[in-house]
Amino acid sequence: MAVRITDSFKEVKKRHNNFISASTSTSSRKDPIPSTSTEEQQHKDPDLEVLKQFDLRLEFGPCIGITRKERWERAEKHGLSPPQEVLDILLRHPDNDTYLQSLWKDYNI
């Protein structure tokens, strides 16, 4: 009997309106997956989307282990012209880690 990859992975992910929803092949979920307050805030706040895009742009160097402001300052120091909008957002939220820390802050990399 041949083993298929689908035997190991029962969950299928489908993309709907820029969101990925998960559905299982054996049963369908009736309750939506609860999202954390940070995830909800990111979907509502365009500033967080701008910061996320900044994190994903490799041209400004790595963002692991430093704050977004430190990364912005390093990129500016090296003449990489990071977006001024990013610094403006960071200065508006000086004590909020959701804005200050990079997208990868919760991962042990």
Side-chain angles (χ1 to χ4, degrees), residues 41 45 48 51 68 89-90 93 96-101:
Q41 186 179 8
D45 191 345
L48 288 174
L51 295 175
R68 286 175 169 143
I89 293 168
L90 296 173
H93 305 279
N96 189 333
D97 271 353
T98 302
Y99 291 87
L100 300 178
Q101 298 299 320

Side-chain angles (χ1 to χ4, degrees), residues 59-76:
E59 66 195 81
F60 302 120
C63 57
I64 305 297
I66 61 174
T67 65
R68 286 175 169 143
K69 186 175 179 195
E70 291 170 332
R71 183 171 181 243
W72 190 95
E73 290 170 344
R74 182 187 62 202
E76 178 70 18

Side-chain angles (χ1 to χ4, degrees), residues 21-39:
S21 63
S23 63
T24 59
S25 59
T26 57
S27 67
S28 61
R29 293 183 196 211
K30 294 181 181 180
D31 299 331
I33 299 171
S35 60
T36 63
S37 61
T38 303
E39 289 174 350

Side-chain angles (χ1 to χ4, degrees), residues 9-27:
F9 299 99
K10 300 289 184 195
E11 193 166 306
V12 179
K13 295 189 180 196
K14 298 177 183 176
R15 185 173 220 88
H16 297 289
N17 297 334
N18 295 331
F19 296 104
I20 296 177
S21 63
S23 63
T24 59
S25 59
T26 57
S27 67

